[in-house]
Amino acid sequence: MRLPLLVCVSLCLSVAPGPVSGADRTCTDLRQLYTGKGFTLVEVPQTEISGEHLRMCPQGPTCCTSTMEENLGSLSAKETEGLIREAGRSLQAAFNALHRGFDTYFTELHGNSERSLLETLSPLGPLYSQNTRLYGDLYADLRQYYRGSALNLDETLSEFWSRLLERTFKISTPSEVSLSEDYLDCVAKQQETLRPFGDVPRDMKAKLIRAFVTARSFVQGLIVSGEVVRKVSQVHLSPECMKALMKLVYCPHCRGMASVKPCSNYCSNVMKGCLANQADLNPEWQNLIDTMFQVASSFSTEPSLDVVLSSIPARIYEAVHFLQENMDTFTARVYQTCGTPGEEGTGSPALHEQRKKSSSLTASGYKPSPTAGLRLEMQVSDLSSKLREMRQYWTQLPVALCSKLAAGGAGQDKCWNGITKARYLPEVMGDGLANQINNPEVELDITKPDMTIRQQIMQLKIMSNRLKNALDGNDVDFQDASDDISGSGSGMCTGGQCPRNRPGLYAFPPDNNRVRGAAATPQSGLLLLLLPLATLLFQR
C-alpha cells in the first residue's frame, strides 16, 4: 500500500501550483509598466501564464494576455511614429532657421542697396530727382521676384532701361522741342540697337538675373525640403512594422526580461524594415542637398551676391554718366532713325551744368564694405555646414532610433534577439525597400512602395533640376509647384509649431566620401538630439 500512496503524492505535487516549475513568476514589473502607459489592470495576470495565445511575441510563459499584446503593439507603433514626427519637426525647424537667416540677410542687402540710391545718384541732378519712382519700381520688382512673383526678370530689366532712356532723352531735349509719345517710344526702342548706356545694361542684367534666380531658387529649395520632411514624417507605419516593433520593444517585458535591451543588429533590421520607404528618399535627398550646397557656394563666387546687389546704384550711375558723355552722338543717331522732333537747340542749360559737375565721378571703382563681404562669408559657411549635417538624415534615422534602444557593443551576447536572451545571428539588411526582400523581422512587399513617399521623391527631383537650372543662370518658374510648397502646409514651421534652437535628429557625421571637407558632428550633439528618444525609452 505504501507504493501507490507515494505515486499518488507525486502526481498531486506535479500538478499543484508551486515554485518548482517557475511558471508562476510575478508580473509586478509589467503591471507597473502597463499602468504607467495609461492602461487598466483589469484581467492583467499577477503571475506568468501560458503563452499559446500570443500572436506577436514568441509563445511561452508570459505576463501578457491577447488584449495586452494588442494594446502594447499599437502603443509601440504610436510611440515610434511620435519619435519620427519629433525628428521631422526638429529638421523642419532647422530648415526654417536657414530660411529665416538667409532671407534676413538678403532683404537687408536689398534694402541697403535701395537706400544708397540717393547718395550715389544725387550728383545726376534732375536725372535722379525726376526719376526716383522709376528707380524705386526697379527695386520693388526685384523684391517681388525674389518673393516668388511670376515676373520675367529679363523683360523687367529691359523695360527699366528703356524707360530710363526715354526719360533721360526727354530731360536732355531742349524745352522748346515737343516730344510725342510715339517719338519717345521710338527713342526707347533704340536701347538695344544703339546701346546708349554702353555695356552696363547687358552686364548688369546677366549678373542680377544670376543673383536673384539663385537666391530665389535656394529659398524655394529650403521650403520644398522642409515640406518633404513634414509629409514623410506623417506617413503611418504598416501593420507588419507594428508587429515587429512590439516584438522588439515590449515582448521582453511580457517575457519577464525588462532589463534586457534588444540586440543592436536586431533593432537595425526592424527599423530598416519599418523605414524602408523613407530610406528610398536618400538618393534624391542627397542630390538636392548637394545642389543646394553648390548654390550656397555660388553666392560668394565673383561677382559675389553682396557686390551685385550693393553695386546696383553705382552701375545705374555709370550707365547714365556714359549716356551723358555721349548724348550728342546718340541724339544725332536717334534723329536719323526716328526723325527730327522739332528745332534743334543746345539742350537744357541745367543739364549741361550738371553734366560738368558729375563728369568726375565713376562707378567702376565701386567696392563693397569689408563688413558686407565678411557677413556673406559667414552666411555661406553657416549654410554649407548645416546642409552637410542634413545630408544623410533618412539613412541615419534608423541608427538614431536604435542608438539608445539597443544594447551596446559589449552586450551583444546577452541581449534580446526577438526570442530570448542571446546573440542575434541574422545579417543586417541594407537601406531602402529593395534591400528588405530577405529581412527576417519585417514582412514587406517590395513591389508596392508607399505612394506618398514616391510623390515626395519626385518633388525632390524636380527641385534639384530647378536649382541646377538656376546655377546656369536660367530663370525658374515656380508657378507649377502646386500646393506642396505653399499655403498653411509649407515646410517652413509656422504658428510656433516647430521648436527653435533644438538639436535635430539629422545631426550625424556627413559622408566624407561624398561631400569633401565635411566636418563630423560632435558626439555631445548626438546625445542632445536623442533626448526625446531617451526619455521615452527610459519610461519603458
Side-chain angles (χ1 to χ4, degrees):
M1 291 295 294
R2 295 188 60 177
L3 182 59
L5 180 60
L6 289 173
V7 172
C8 181
V9 171
S10 298
L11 289 173
C12 292
L13 288 174
S14 65
V15 298
V20 177
S21 66
D24 61 346
R25 283 183 294 184
T26 179
C27 294
T28 301
D29 289 343
L30 181 61
R31 289 168 65 87
Q32 291 178 352
L33 171 74
Y34 198 65
T35 55
K37 297 296 182 180
F39 301 110
T40 65
L41 290 176
V42 177
E43 298 183 0
V44 176
Q46 296 280 354
T47 57
E48 284 185 339
I49 59 176
S50 173
E52 289 85 354
H53 57 280
L54 297 175
R55 295 295 177 265
M56 302 182 215
C57 297
Q59 295 184 346
T62 182
C63 286
C64 290
T65 64
S66 295
T67 301
M68 293 172 65
E69 187 183 37
E70 292 176 5
N71 289 341
L72 291 174
S74 299
L75 179 64
S76 64
K78 183 179 178 181
E79 288 176 338
T80 304
E81 287 175 346
L83 290 172
I84 294 170
R85 284 193 296 270
E86 180 68 19
R89 282 192 290 268
S90 294
L91 186 56
Q92 280 183 270
F95 277 114
N96 191 38
L98 288 179
H99 178 218
R100 187 169 55 248
F102 179 78
D103 184 67
T104 298
Y105 168 76
F106 190 85
T107 52
E108 286 182 1
L109 200 61
H110 182 276
N112 291 337
S113 176
E114 185 174 12
R115 282 188 290 273
S116 69
L117 277 170
L118 175 60
E119 178 184 354
T120 306
L121 300 185
S122 57
L124 296 175
L127 290 178
Y128 169 70
S129 61
Q130 296 183 29
N131 290 324
T132 53
R133 183 170 181 177
L134 177 62
Y135 301 130
D137 288 345
L138 172 63
Y139 276 90
D141 288 340
L142 291 175
R143 186 182 299 107
Q144 289 180 23
Y145 177 85
Y146 169 70
R147 294 296 182 198
S149 171
L151 285 171
N152 184 303
L153 205 50
D154 189 290
E155 294 178 359
T156 298
L157 292 170
S158 295
E159 177 66 15
F160 166 76
W161 289 112
S162 294
R163 290 173 63 195
L164 181 59
L165 175 60
E166 177 185 317
R167 288 165 179 260
T168 304
F169 186 83
K170 186 176 181 178
I171 294 173
S172 303
T173 301
S175 57
E176 62 269 20
V177 177
S178 176
L179 298 175
S180 66
E181 291 297 324
D182 290 341
Y183 192 88
L184 290 174
D185 285 343
C186 180
V187 172
K189 291 177 182 177
Q190 307 314 308
Q191 202 281 120
E192 291 292 339
T193 56
L194 299 183
R195 297 172 61 187
F197 296 113
D199 293 328
V200 173
R202 185 177 302 176
D203 181 64
M204 180 176 164
K205 179 189 291 186
K207 292 174 180 177
L208 275 179
I209 288 177
R210 176 180 175 273
F212 275 83
V213 166
T214 52
R216 184 171 81 155
S217 301
F218 184 75
V219 168
Q220 286 289 339
L222 294 175
I223 294 174
V224 168
S225 299
E227 180 65 7
V228 167
V229 173
R230 184 186 70 83
K231 285 180 176 290
V232 173
S233 297
Q234 292 176 348
V235 172
H236 292 293
L237 299 175
S238 67
E240 291 76 16
C241 173
M242 183 196 75
K243 295 176 183 178
L245 287 171
M246 170 62 192
K247 187 177 177 183
L248 175 77
V249 177
Y250 288 117
C251 285
H253 293 270
C254 293
R255 200 66 181 269
M257 301 181 185
S259 62
V260 181
K261 286 189 172 185
C263 299
S264 178
N265 288 351
Y266 171 41
C267 182
S268 293
N269 276 342
V270 171
M271 295 303 178
K272 283 175 179 283
C274 288
L275 300 173
N277 282 282
Q278 287 84 337
D280 280 344
L281 286 158
N282 191 58
E284 288 302 329
W285 176 264
Q286 290 194 356
N287 186 30
L288 176 58
I289 295 297
D290 289 347
T291 308
M292 290 176 66
F293 177 80
Q294 293 176 34
V295 172
S297 299
S298 74
F299 294 146
S300 57
T301 302
E302 294 297 333
S304 60
L305 185 65
D306 60 329
V307 170
V308 173
L309 266 70
S310 300
S311 65
I312 292 175
R315 299 311 306 275
I316 293 175
Y317 170 83
E318 183 181 349
V320 174
H321 183 68
F322 180 89
L323 176 58
Q324 282 183 309
E325 291 295 305
N326 299 278
M327 181 59 77
D328 293 339
T329 302
F330 175 70
T331 300
R333 297 182 68 180
V334 167
Y335 286 171
Q336 290 177 358
T337 305
C338 302
T340 305
E343 291 294 328
E344 283 197 53
T346 58
S348 169
L351 186 60
H352 279 296
E353 182 64 24
Q354 192 62 44
R355 209 183 294 180
K356 293 178 183 178
K357 292 180 181 179
S358 62
S359 60
S360 61
L361 299 177
T362 175
S364 60
Y366 170 80
K367 294 183 184 299
S369 68
T371 305
L374 179 60
R375 188 176 177 192
L376 175 61
E377 183 179 341
M378 293 174 62
Q379 186 75 27
V380 171
S381 176
D382 182 60
L383 289 170
S384 301
S385 63
K386 293 295 195 306
L387 288 172
R388 286 190 185 112
E389 292 173 359
M390 300 170 177
R391 192 172 180 274
Q392 298 185 78
Y393 174 77
W394 298 109
T395 54
Q396 289 294 332
L397 187 55
V399 179
L401 293 171
C402 287
S403 61
K404 286 293 182 180
L405 178 65
Q412 297 306 306
D413 288 324
K414 299 178 180 180
C415 52
W416 172 253
N417 64 7
I419 300 175
T420 187
K421 181 180 178 180
R423 174 174 287 273
Y424 182 75
L425 299 179
E427 64 177 349
V428 177
M429 300 293 102
D431 297 316
L433 187 60
N435 286 319
Q436 308 310 309
I437 188 170
N438 294 318
N439 192 315
E441 309 306 333
V442 185
E443 293 184 13
L444 290 170
D445 186 347
I446 64 171
T447 65
K448 296 180 179 179
D450 184 277
M451 295 313 298
T452 298
I453 293 178
R454 295 294 137 174
Q455 290 170 0
Q456 298 313 303
I457 291 175
M458 182 58 63
Q459 287 294 318
L460 294 174
K461 186 176 295 186
I462 291 171
M463 191 65 241
S464 294
N465 289 333
R466 287 171 172 165
L467 284 165
K468 290 173 183 176
N469 284 331
L471 278 172
D472 294 333
N474 299 323
D475 203 348
V476 182
D477 180 16
F478 290 100
Q479 297 306 305
D480 61 346
S482 76
D483 59 354
D484 284 336
I485 57 171
S486 61
S488 60
S490 171
M492 297 299 99
C493 310
T494 57
Q497 295 192 11
C498 278
R500 294 187 182 183
N501 300 323
R502 290 193 54 179
L505 197 52
Y506 62 87
F508 295 97
D511 185 349
N512 290 320
N513 293 327
R514 295 288 299 273
V515 180
R516 295 181 181 178
T521 304
Q523 289 298 316
S524 58
L526 182 60
L527 293 176
L528 285 173
L529 68 92
L530 291 171
L531 278 177
L533 178 60
T535 301
L536 178 59
L537 294 174
F538 288 147
Q539 290 176 350
R540 290 173 176 170

